[in-house]
Amino acid sequence: MDSAIGTYICQTIDCSKPATLQCPTCIKMALAPAYFCDQECFKRYWPIHKTFHKKQEEQEDQKNKFKFTGPLRPGKISARLFVPDHIKKPEWYLSGQPTEEMKSKLQQVVDCKTPEDIQKMRDCAAIGRGALDAGHAAVKPGVTTDEIDKIVHKYIIDHDAYPSPLNYNGFKKSLCTSVNEVICHGIPDDRPLENGDIVNLDVSVYYKGFHIDLNETYFVGEVSESSKFLVEKAYTCLQKAIEVCKPGTMYRDVGNIIEKYISENGLAVNRTYCGHGVGQLFHCAPTIPHYGKNKAPGFMKPGHTFTIEPMINQGTHQDILWTFDNWTAVTADGQRSAQFEHSILITEGGCEVLTARLPTSPPLDFKI
């Protein structure tokens, strides 16, 4: 791959070296090639790696038999990208497992960030915003989501930060790219974006021991009026939710506000995926449902940091999972979905949107 972007990481589980040597069998079988740092690593890992070829064939067979709900079809997924040694990495960089995160008391207790913590999160958010804007600038017909992933990855590592999704529970890429009927967790691949698509770019960054999370949905070329309506309402409902974020607001109220607005506009709020606490951990308390009449506990307090990220569907609120990749969530009826997300800090007088758009951010395709 282009040296300006970087290199891939060695496929061997206990190796984190940059890799350019491709598996010849992967190439021969027309699979997305695995990469290794040298022949020794390749030979050592071969007994395990050769089972990957069979798994890939099985996955292709599952794709062929899968009953897709909409017109979108997945492309090939390239190997995991390399992160330089000097960059501080989360626990899942090699293992793929957020074990300590799941054991943390912060899964049940919402912590209040110190002034020092808050400044680190602002620094992290600045990188996240820059990375998302870089990805946004690349969105156009003919560009693949894999190319956008490389752009975002490069921006993040060039700022000495780590892309939080990379190898989180085995996720292979540095951001999520959700196209058309994909609600969330779409995996970047080699499918070119097409005129009329909508695409959500979801960026998360780990820097100075803290995570930040943000996303936006963009138009690809000229889109239908119904897609414009969907995206605009997804953006507006997030803004309405942010307006009530202040000390004393109940977390359950966020969903009440979002669902009221969205239902009045004939759209639906996904009920499976929620906002979450963010900070020292990628995902933690509080849990913030985006639908009404939820029972989320707790009140907002100064120093709380969390995401709000409503996923708005044209049709049903229901979703299904692409079982052949166990990540991609799509609408159950194949209609489109749009999403916007910010990381929020509760202050004494209200809230601060840590991941707010900047004057230099590429403009959205609708008036805000």
Side-chain angles (χ1 to χ4, degrees):
M1 64 183 293
D2 187 343
S3 60
I5 299 294
T7 54
Y8 295 106
I9 186 174
C10 182
Q11 183 81 17
T12 305
I13 288 177
D14 60 353
C15 180
S16 60
K17 295 178 182 178
T20 57
L21 178 66
Q22 298 182 37
C23 169
T25 305
C26 289
I27 297 172
K28 184 177 180 180
M29 295 174 67
L31 304 174
Y35 287 80
F36 297 87
C37 61
D38 57 31
Q39 286 287 350
E40 287 303 313
C41 249
F42 179 55
K43 291 176 183 177
R44 182 161 59 90
Y45 196 60
W46 174 250
I48 298 174
H49 175 65
K50 66 181 180 182
T51 65
F52 168 79
H53 302 139
K54 184 177 181 180
K55 288 180 180 178
Q56 284 285 87
E57 288 181 318
E58 291 173 350
Q59 188 179 63
E60 287 301 315
D61 185 55
Q62 289 175 0
K63 285 182 189 178
N64 293 334
K65 295 177 180 178
F66 190 80
K67 187 176 181 180
F68 290 92
T69 62
L72 186 71
R73 296 296 182 271
K76 289 182 182 178
I77 300 171
S78 62
R80 185 155 59 102
L81 293 167
F82 174 71
V83 178
D85 290 342
H86 73 274
I87 291 175
K88 184 175 181 178
K89 302 172 179 65
E91 59 172 321
W92 53 83
Y93 173 59
L94 289 180
S95 71
Q97 300 301 315
T99 305
E100 295 305 314
E101 176 176 283
M102 297 310 298
K103 291 179 180 178
S104 173
K105 67 178 182 180
L106 295 180
Q107 296 299 338
Q108 287 78 41
V109 177
V110 184
D111 68 328
C112 293
K113 306 297 187 299
T114 68
E116 293 78 12
D117 293 340
I118 291 168
Q119 186 54 54
K120 289 177 181 178
M121 290 196 71
R122 289 188 181 117
D123 294 341
C124 186
I127 298 172
R129 169 47 63 186
L132 183 59
D133 289 348
H136 180 186
V139 171
K140 64 180 179 180
V143 174
T144 69
T145 50
D146 190 66
E147 291 173 299
I148 297 172
D149 177 73
K150 291 181 174 69
I151 290 168
V152 169
H153 179 90
K154 183 178 187 301
Y155 186 98
I156 292 171
I157 65 171
D158 281 353
H159 288 78
D160 295 329
Y162 182 91
S164 302
L166 188 62
N167 210 30
Y168 184 80
N169 286 315
F171 193 81
K172 289 182 68 174
K173 311 307 279 180
S174 295
L175 82 158
C176 299
T177 53
S178 299
V179 179
N180 297 342
E181 67 263 30
V182 180
I183 296 171
C184 61
H185 303 156
I187 306 173
D189 61 26
D190 68 352
R191 174 195 179 271
L193 293 171
E194 299 176 358
N195 187 60
D197 286 345
I198 60 173
V199 59
N200 178 275
L201 304 185
D202 192 340
V203 170
S204 308
V205 174
Y206 181 60
Y207 183 63
K208 294 183 178 179
F210 287 83
H211 298 271
I212 209 77
D213 205 358
L214 71 159
N215 75 56
E216 293 177 343
T217 301
Y218 308 120
F219 301 158
V220 183
E222 293 295 322
V223 305
S224 66
E225 289 301 316
S226 61
S227 289
K228 290 179 182 178
F229 181 83
L230 170 69
V231 174
E232 289 173 8
K233 299 308 178 186
Y235 178 86
T236 302
C237 77
L238 173 60
Q239 304 312 308
K240 288 183 175 293
I242 292 172
E243 287 173 2
V244 302
C245 289
K246 63 182 184 299
T249 296
M250 297 180 71
Y251 279 110
R252 66 184 61 177
D253 288 345
V254 170
N256 294 330
I257 290 164
I258 291 170
E259 177 134 40
K260 181 178 185 298
Y261 176 78
I262 288 303
S263 61
E264 288 173 350
N265 283 279
L267 301 169
V269 182
N270 177 264
R271 303 171 72 90
T272 302
Y273 302 96
C274 300
H276 55 86
V278 67
Q280 291 96 329
L281 302 182
F282 190 6
H283 300 94
C284 56
T287 296
I288 305 173
H290 302 117
Y291 54 87
K293 298 181 180 179
N294 67 81
K295 297 181 180 179
F299 295 83
M300 298 178 188
K301 298 179 181 180
H304 285 189
T305 54
F306 54 87
T307 72
I308 304 177
E309 46 185 302
M311 297 155 221
I312 309 304
N313 300 347
Q314 287 178 325
T316 179
H317 69 83
Q318 295 176 321
D319 57 89
I320 68 166
L321 191 69
W322 282 0
T323 52
F324 51 84
D325 70 19
N326 286 318
W327 275 107
T328 306
V330 298
T331 57
D333 58 6
Q335 296 194 65
R336 292 187 170 189
S337 183
Q339 180 188 15
F340 289 84
E341 174 187 22
H342 278 306
S343 290
I344 310 296
L345 163 70
I346 299 300
T347 63
E348 292 290 345
C351 74
E352 176 183 341
V353 180
L354 295 169
T355 50
R357 293 180 60 81
L358 302 173
T360 55
S361 298
L364 296 172
D365 298 300
F366 52 90
K367 292 182 179 180
I368 60 175

